[in-house]
Amino acid sequence: MKSLVRFLKQQSKRLVAIVLICGFFWFTRLPALSATERATLASRFHFTRLPLPELTSSPVKSIRSVHPSLEQHSAWISSVGAAIALSDLDSDGLSNDICHVDPRTDHVIVSPVPGTGDRYAPFALAPSKLPYDSATMAPMGCLANDLNEDGQTDILVYYWGRTPVAFLQKNGLEIRDNLSPLSYVQQEIETSGERWYTNAATFADLDGDSHADLIIGNYFQDGARILDATASGQESMQHSMTRAYNGGLNHILRWAEAEAGSTPRVKFQDIKDSLDEDVSHAWTLAVGAADLDGDLHPEIYFANDFGPDRLLHNRSQPGHLAFALLEGEKGLMTPNSKVLGKDGFKGMGVDFGDVNDDGLLDIYVSNIADEYALEESHFMFTSTGNIEEMNKGIAPYVDHSEPLGVSRSSWSWETKFGDFDNDGELEALQATGFAKGTIDRWPELHELAMGNDELLSHANIWPRFQAGDDLSGQAHNPFFVRTTEGRYYDLAKSLGLDTPQVTRGIATADVDGDGDLDFAIANQWEPSYFYRNDNNLTAGTSLNLKLLLPVSGDKPTSGTPAIGATAIVHLPNGRSLVSQVDGGNGHSGARSSGLHFGLGQIQPDSTLPVGLHWRGRDSQVHQATVKLSPGSHTLVLNDDTLLTTTEQTNLAALVKENE
């Protein structure tokens, strides 16, 4: 016994250290689901994967030709370009059409969603009547929106190597019944002829004039020759891994005027100096716009590579744009990197949704969070509710990504919210992966990142990143599902969604009108897919809304998406669900403009009060409350607050109550 006591005294320091280590290990372990809990959660979801249509008339490539000074890390330069958007292009009432950018051929492919019928043949949308050189230019993304406000869905395509192009749909039912390249008129959005390197764009009514403006996020410097393999000289990379402000110029293009008819057109005005210098010249990979303070002037979120993201408070008036930078406040236990606007991470995706049930939108942002590689953190900036602090330059948001379970995954790009089982809780999706190969290049990237920032802009000091090299290329896209205690867990493996893919864009929509959300993904240098939602809807029913602003002419039941309009669904249990019409937020995936609300166990013949908040054609703010039953409804929001419903499914009641 004495020997034991003597031994314990001699080893006391070591024993205390072991106890402390074990204690810290226990407290830092991530929560985990039991097999039973995981299976129960997974039983609410089922998806069928279908490949997207491809056009093989062009040679298929797996890497881009680049400027000679960038050849050493050409795989890095070739890491973007895949994109996806879901919308209703043929006016059949369903968001069952795809615009898909396939970097293997550099085709912008327009097609019906797989499984929705052969309504028209897939075709490529190219600026054949405008200056375009496929050797030095490449499409990077597409957005679907009614640009000229004639009630038909147009397409905006943005590029590396040139300014964006509008493809405006001509009038005529026979054209929509047989979509083809001849259905569209090609038009420059910006006529300077500059070389832009655009990686993100979204529409939003920034100045409150009821017209959708265009926000452009550029990456490489304007005028560069990134894809010109015959050019001379040197091209520059970022001048810092955490504070780089030598990127391309971000732009705000304000809607000016438009015409419909057989030769439609639209005009945007490039508003110079509308953004501060540091905001303008960040290396932007994603753009989001949403009304965060309830005044129907959408705020702008720029997710930036190699430096702090930027949240701008919108203080504009019709015809005049004005923004103020918002930054979060640092608490005693909060690292700078977790404060909104002060991070030095690699922002690549952004989406908005209410995850803390306070009726205000929260902000879901992706960065790089790869174990044993670069584990920064993704962000889930939840609102504190103190929206009046925005007038003081304070971003009223706190990052709760770690306790919510979404801080870690891999090298992540797109983020997307969506309620895929209609239980009233948002699932959280991510697109992950950088380059798929057989040679791990993380050691070289670590060495580069630890180097002097002043050297980074010089391409000749970059290590080898070429075809066959791998950077986070073996990860799967997370499918985060929330449990009753509020934490998210990745169920991709349980759902058969854990195939390693290098994904850039995610788009969501109720494609087939069956009341549940489907999604599609755009992959880089490999096939892309549509995931049809085939669950049995045991978790609940849904409410789908199309909110439209009226168009001119004799079309009282048609309209253009009311981008930025807000709908608040009030449930019998006291909860409220909030969503806004999306103009294309994110990196390179654009959801449809329809709003989808999972309602949980609501009787199909019940009615729910739905609050609507929008800016009318008179540029004034309007509010109304309607009572709607589960199903699909289209509401045309007139300036006098009268609401016209069309294409209704199981409409039990419509009661307007002016507020």
Side-chain angles (χ1 to χ4, degrees):
M1 186 66 179
K2 289 182 179 180
S3 61
L4 176 60
V5 172
R6 186 167 55 252
F7 172 79
L8 292 176
K9 286 182 178 180
Q10 292 173 345
Q11 304 298 324
S12 60
K13 292 182 179 179
R14 292 184 177 90
L15 292 172
V16 169
I18 291 172
V19 170
L20 289 174
I21 290 171
C22 292
F24 283 129
F25 174 75
W26 176 263
F27 283 113
T28 56
R29 289 179 63 195
L30 293 176
L33 291 174
S34 69
T36 300
E37 291 172 317
R38 184 173 291 273
T40 300
L41 274 180
S43 67
R44 306 206 309 246
F45 305 91
H46 178 65
F47 297 95
T48 300
R49 189 175 84 162
L50 302 170
L52 297 190
E54 299 176 1
L55 300 177
T56 58
S57 57
S58 299
V60 174
K61 58 180 180 288
S62 59
I63 199 166
R64 298 191 187 282
S65 298
V66 300
H67 189 282
S69 66
L70 306 175
E71 178 61 34
Q72 183 168 280
H73 58 287
S74 57
W76 183 287
I77 306 299
S78 303
S79 62
V80 291
I84 189 83
L86 290 172
S87 64
D88 180 7
L89 296 176
D90 60 358
S91 300
D92 66 353
L94 296 172
S95 296
N96 54 7
D97 302 292
I98 286 180
C99 179
H100 167 221
V101 179
D102 187 343
R104 296 173 300 170
T105 58
D106 281 338
H107 282 143
V108 179
I109 304 172
V110 176
S111 70
V113 172
T116 63
D118 299 326
R119 288 168 281 117
Y120 55 90
F123 61 89
L125 210 55
S128 56
K129 298 183 179 180
L130 300 175
Y132 188 80
D133 182 357
S134 61
T136 62
M137 303 173 185
M140 291 286 140
C142 53
L143 299 178
N145 185 37
D146 184 3
L147 275 70
N148 64 332
E149 300 177 354
D150 64 352
Q152 300 178 127
T153 304
D154 311 305
I155 296 175
L156 177 96
V157 181
Y158 51 89
Y159 302 85
W160 271 16
R162 75 170 336 273
T163 52
V165 173
F167 293 86
L168 303 175
Q169 194 171 156
K170 301 175 184 177
N171 277 331
L173 184 61
E174 69 284 353
I175 295 175
R176 296 195 298 276
D177 284 346
N178 188 23
L179 281 181
S180 74
L182 298 178
S183 305
Y184 296 90
V185 172
Q186 305 165 24
Q187 184 202 304
E188 298 280 10
I189 284 291
E190 207 278 343
T191 58
S192 66
E194 295 179 335
R195 289 186 296 275
W196 291 2
Y197 292 85
T198 306
N199 271 131
T202 193
F203 288 101
D205 178 10
L206 295 175
D207 63 350
D209 65 354
S210 83
H211 303 292
D213 310 305
L214 180 59
I215 310 166
I216 296 290
N218 285 338
Y219 197 70
F220 282 103
Q221 299 89 344
D222 297 355
R225 297 186 178 276
I226 303 301
L227 301 181
D228 190 346
T230 65
S232 58
Q234 297 288 320
E235 293 296 340
S236 294
M237 299 297 293
Q238 77 278 9
H239 61 46
S240 170
M241 280 290 185
T242 58
R243 292 292 184 270
Y245 303 113
N246 64 328
L249 184 66
N250 292 332
H251 294 261
I252 293 181
L253 306 178
R254 188 168 64 84
W255 192 96
E257 60 185 33
E259 291 182 5
S262 58
T263 55
R265 71 177 188 90
V266 64
K267 181 179 179 181
F268 289 86
Q269 180 184 4
D270 192 351
I271 306 300
K272 306 291 186 182
D273 302 322
S274 57
L275 302 173
D276 291 342
E277 188 71 13
D278 285 355
V279 176
S280 296
H281 286 284
W283 293 67
T284 299
L285 282 174
V287 178
D291 177 17
L292 301 179
D293 58 2
D295 64 356
L296 286 179
H297 284 299
E299 278 61 58
I300 304 175
Y301 192 102
F302 288 104
N304 296 323
D305 209 353
F306 314 123
D309 293 351
R310 297 300 187 187
L311 177 61
L312 304 183
H313 189 210
N314 192 342
R315 301 177 181 178
S316 304
Q317 297 297 325
H320 175 70
L321 296 174
F323 305 96
L325 181 65
L326 299 179
E327 292 185 338
E329 291 188 306
K330 177 178 169 58
L332 179 63
M333 303 299 292
T334 309
N336 283 337
S337 59
K338 288 281 196 171
V339 179
L340 196 156
K342 297 182 180 180
D343 72 286
F345 290 169
K346 317 299 180 291
M348 288 175 278
V350 61
D351 199 16
F352 304 92
D354 182 11
V355 297
N356 61 354
D357 284 340
D358 64 352
L360 299 171
L361 295 180
D362 307 304
I363 310 173
Y364 181 27
V365 180
S366 62
N367 298 290
I368 301 176
D370 202 339
E371 279 191 331
Y372 310 113
L374 180 58
E375 194 161 11
E376 296 175 336
S377 174
H378 308 308
F379 296 136
M380 186 70 81
F381 289 119
T382 58
S383 172
T384 66
N386 299 321
I387 58 175
E388 66 279 358
E389 291 187 340
M390 291 185 182
N391 296 319
K392 304 174 185 177
I394 298 173
Y397 293 90
V398 177
D399 176 48
H400 284 139
S401 58
E402 183 69 9
L404 285 173
V406 295
S407 64
R408 314 168 188 223
S409 62
S410 182
W411 192 313
S412 181
W413 299 78
E414 197 79 81
T415 57
K416 277 291 183 289
F417 283 121
D419 185 353
F420 292 89
D421 60 349
N422 289 340
D423 67 343
E425 294 286 352
L426 295 173
E427 280 71 61
L429 279 62
Q430 283 187 339
T432 63
F434 186 81
K436 184 179 293 187
T438 58
I439 304 173
D440 183 9
R441 291 297 181 187
W442 267 111
E444 287 86 347
L445 184 55
H446 288 153
E447 183 177 342
L448 177 71
M450 290 186 294
N452 191 316
D453 274 359
E454 296 303 317
L455 297 176
L456 276 173
S457 62
H458 300 283
N460 59 352
I461 67 100
W462 277 62
R464 181 189 192 278
F465 293 115
Q466 295 184 331
D469 293 336
D470 188 279
L471 280 171
S472 300
Q474 310 305 318
H476 68 263
N477 296 325
F479 190 95
F480 290 110
V481 179
R482 202 170 191 180
T483 59
T484 54
E485 77 269 15
R487 185 178 177 87
Y488 282 95
Y489 294 87
D490 178 16
L491 295 190
K493 184 175 182 179
S494 301
L495 300 177
L497 303 177
D498 60 335
T499 302
Q501 300 181 88
V502 176
T503 305
R504 295 293 172 265
I506 303 174
T508 64
D510 181 2
V511 163
D512 42 16
D514 63 353
D516 56 34
L517 271 185
D518 313 287
F519 70 97
I521 65 171
N523 286 334
Q524 189 75 14
W525 308 121
E526 55 188 10
S528 299
Y529 297 96
F530 168 65
Y531 291 82
R532 188 181 65 219
N533 193 340
D534 289 330
N535 72 40
N536 56 16
L537 297 181
T538 57
T541 185
S542 66
L543 174 68
N544 284 343
L545 292 179
K546 291 182 184 177
L547 301 182
L548 306 177
L549 291 176
V551 297
S552 58
D554 56 353
K555 299 178 180 179
T557 60
S558 67
T560 186
I563 294 175
T566 299
I568 304 174
V569 179
H570 300 281
L571 300 178
N573 63 6
R575 287 189 64 204
S576 295
L577 308 176
V578 60
S579 189
Q580 295 178 10
V581 180
D582 188 336
N585 296 334
H587 169 61
S588 65
R591 60 166 55 87
S592 73
S593 59
L595 302 182
H596 175 90
F597 297 93
L599 303 177
Q601 297 298 330
I602 300 294
Q603 294 299 318
D605 58 352
S606 62
T607 59
L608 299 170
V610 180
L612 302 173
H613 193 202
W614 75 96
R615 193 175 293 277
R617 286 297 187 203
D618 58 0
S619 299
Q620 300 301 308
V621 172
H622 298 274
Q623 297 182 83
T625 298
V626 296
K627 291 185 178 179
L628 299 174
S629 63
S632 298
H633 311 277
T634 298
L635 306 179
V636 181
L637 308 175
N638 296 312
D639 292 348
D640 58 4
T641 72
L642 295 176
L643 307 174
T644 303
T645 65
T646 62
E647 301 172 13
Q648 302 161 14
T649 300
N650 194 22
L651 177 60
L654 173 65
V655 179
K656 176 178 67 68
E657 301 170 0
N658 291 337
E659 298 178 351

